[in-house]
Amino acid sequence: MLIFDAHLDVAWNALDWNRDYEQPLAVIRAAESEMPGKGRGRNTVCFPEMRRGQVGISIMTLLPKLLRDTMPPLQPYRSAVSAYAAARGQLAYYETMIERGVLAWVRNRWELERAVASWENGADMNTPLFFVLSMEGADAILHPRQVEEWWHRGLRIVGPAHYGVNAYAPGTGCEGGLFPAGRDLLREMERVGMILDVTHLTDQAFDEALEIYHGPVLASHHNCRALVPHQRQLTDEQIRRLIARGAVIGAACDAWMLYPGWVRGETSPEVVSLEAVADHIDRVCQLAGNSRHSALGSDLDGGFGTEQTPRDLQSIADLQKLIPILERRGYTQDDIRNIFYRNWVRFFQTAWKDN
Ligand SMILES: [Zn+2]
């Protein structure tokens, strides 16, 4: 079945981790076998595996991290200008992959329909992997007026926050509300038609963002706080508010978001399986009363590898194993199609009704 995965940091992996995603997983892992560091030699994403797993459409990110005092740094930049330039570099990666026929844009309804038709009707080796461009953390938007420039470059979604604090909002691991620039950013996003991703916002910033911003909202890679407590996760009340706004919520496969009390670098992935991902999908479906708001946003290769994925997920292609798991829980083929791709397709069709 076609999969629409709402969160993959593809260009960040290609540039900051120096991974050649056109190679098989085994080749990428072998190239890193001597490298120290979390996730090295253990990645789960590459273009051949996305094809094998029918991950034909995804949201791919621009992810230029700023240096933040509050969190352990991951490839950070000391200035916003460096972050902006790095994002332009990541965009150049996507543009080059498009020229090579490996990737293809999804920026409007027409391109979305083409993507779905290409993959639903049986993709072949020449069918590109389609993607919507998103920015995780608005560090690379130098001022709110620049939202429009990024729109013209193909960007369609912005998550204002990431880990730590930036010029617009406090994110994961922090407290507090939007900064004045963050309020201006949201107003400009609404004016331009940029979609809001609430993932990584603090609780207060989440509330404020939903008040200020009246456009389409999604949660790209976000699990349930009721199942695994953490400020990074959505409360049931937040999930209800998102559902009321027509949002879709992508279930993430990062093990610490799936297993209560996970300790990074210590807990073994043996303790968690894809059943836990299904638990988070199911909670959103139960809160909604239907299967139209839960989906996938795997975040695979998002700074971690198989040391921090469910034990039965060694490749992104293993997402297909969720089909029998959901079937056993009573989900119909229609429900599973909703979760696997139709909810995201419907979301973007609605968000882009005018373009
Ligand atoms: Zn993230």
Side-chain angles (χ1 to χ4, degrees):
M1 191 182 291
L2 169 60
I3 288 176
F4 190 138
D5 185 337
H7 195 81
L8 292 173
D9 300 316
V10 169
W12 183 58
N13 274 274
L15 275 66
D16 288 43
W17 291 67
N18 198 14
R19 285 175 168 157
D20 182 355
Y21 264 17
E22 291 187 273
Q23 298 296 322
L25 264 192
V27 172
I28 299 171
R29 289 182 182 179
E32 300 179 359
S33 60
E34 305 294 313
M35 286 186 193
K38 182 169 176 265
R40 284 296 185 189
R42 294 169 176 270
N43 78 305
T44 53
V45 183
C46 63
F47 298 144
E49 288 301 294
M50 287 178 71
R51 293 186 159 283
R52 189 168 74 83
Q54 297 180 64
V55 187
I57 317 176
S58 56
I59 295 174
M60 297 187 185
T61 63
L62 302 173
L63 174 57
K65 289 168 187 288
L66 266 193
L67 186 68
R68 286 144 194 176
D69 295 336
T70 48
M71 298 297 292
L74 288 164
Q75 309 288 343
Y77 297 98
R78 290 192 182 279
S79 80
V81 174
S82 299
Y84 171 79
R88 291 285 300 275
Q90 292 184 4
L91 178 60
Y93 173 84
Y94 291 125
E95 289 169 341
T96 309
M97 283 298 167
I98 292 166
E99 282 165 21
R100 291 163 60 78
V102 177
L103 300 181
W105 280 117
V106 175
R107 294 166 296 194
N108 52 47
R109 277 180 73 106
W110 181 83
E111 288 172 345
L112 179 65
E113 276 154 29
R114 191 184 123 204
V116 175
S118 302
W119 278 88
E120 268 188 335
N121 300 338
D124 61 31
M125 282 311 293
N126 296 317
T127 309
L129 300 165
F130 291 85
F131 75 103
V132 182
L133 188 64
S134 167
M135 188 183 285
E136 183 171 28
D139 305 295
I141 300 174
L142 293 174
H143 43 77
R145 292 187 314 284
Q146 208 180 37
V147 170
E148 190 165 357
E149 174 194 321
W150 277 111
W151 173 275
H152 290 302
R153 294 189 192 281
L155 188 68
R156 290 295 178 267
I157 306 163
V158 171
H162 192 221
Y163 279 83
V165 173
N166 65 23
Y168 300 105
T172 297
C174 305
E175 295 295 334
L178 295 168
F179 303 130
R183 295 166 177 274
D184 292 342
L185 179 81
L186 286 166
R187 290 186 193 102
E188 185 65 1
M189 283 169 58
E190 181 174 336
R191 187 185 74 77
V192 170
M194 197 71 83
I195 294 165
L196 169 64
D197 185 353
V198 298
T199 295
H200 287 297
L201 288 174
T202 60
D203 289 344
Q204 189 183 333
F206 175 97
D207 288 343
E208 293 171 354
L210 289 192
E211 251 172 59
I212 292 168
Y213 177 89
H214 306 97
V217 177
L218 58 79
S220 61
H221 55 307
H222 226 146
N223 290 347
C224 305
R225 201 178 298 184
L227 300 179
V228 180
H230 193 283
Q231 171 247 23
R232 161 81 176 78
Q233 316 265 64
L234 290 167
T235 65
D236 286 351
E237 183 51 34
Q238 288 172 330
I239 293 169
R240 286 195 190 93
R241 285 185 70 189
L242 289 173
I243 290 167
R245 286 282 290 258
V248 173
I249 299 162
C253 297
D254 191 340
W256 81 260
M257 292 165 64
L258 296 167
Y259 186 80
W262 179 278
V263 181
R264 284 185 177 86
E266 284 183 27
T267 309
S268 160
E270 283 305 311
V271 300
V272 62
S273 76
L274 283 163
E275 293 283 349
V277 179
D279 292 343
H280 288 263
I281 290 170
D282 189 58
R283 186 158 193 101
V284 173
C285 292
Q286 299 301 338
L287 288 168
N290 58 54
S291 62
R292 293 167 69 92
H293 296 276
S294 175
L296 301 173
S298 75
D299 200 16
L300 291 170
D301 283 6
F304 60 94
T306 54
E307 80 288 348
Q308 204 170 300
T309 59
R311 61 176 179 270
D312 45 356
L313 196 161
Q314 298 295 310
S315 152
I316 191 168
D318 291 329
L319 289 174
Q320 294 285 347
K321 293 178 181 172
L322 282 164
I323 293 177
I325 292 172
L326 291 169
E327 281 171 348
R328 275 197 299 278
R329 294 178 183 220
Y331 282 73
T332 66
Q333 289 303 302
D334 250 11
D335 292 327
I336 298 171
R337 264 180 225 289
N338 280 342
I339 293 158
F340 267 44
Y341 69 97
R342 280 189 182 157
N343 288 340
W344 285 127
V345 170
R346 201 182 304 115
F347 173 86
F348 286 106
Q349 280 172 340
T350 306
W352 295 335
K353 56 186 183 300
D354 300 325
N355 49 292

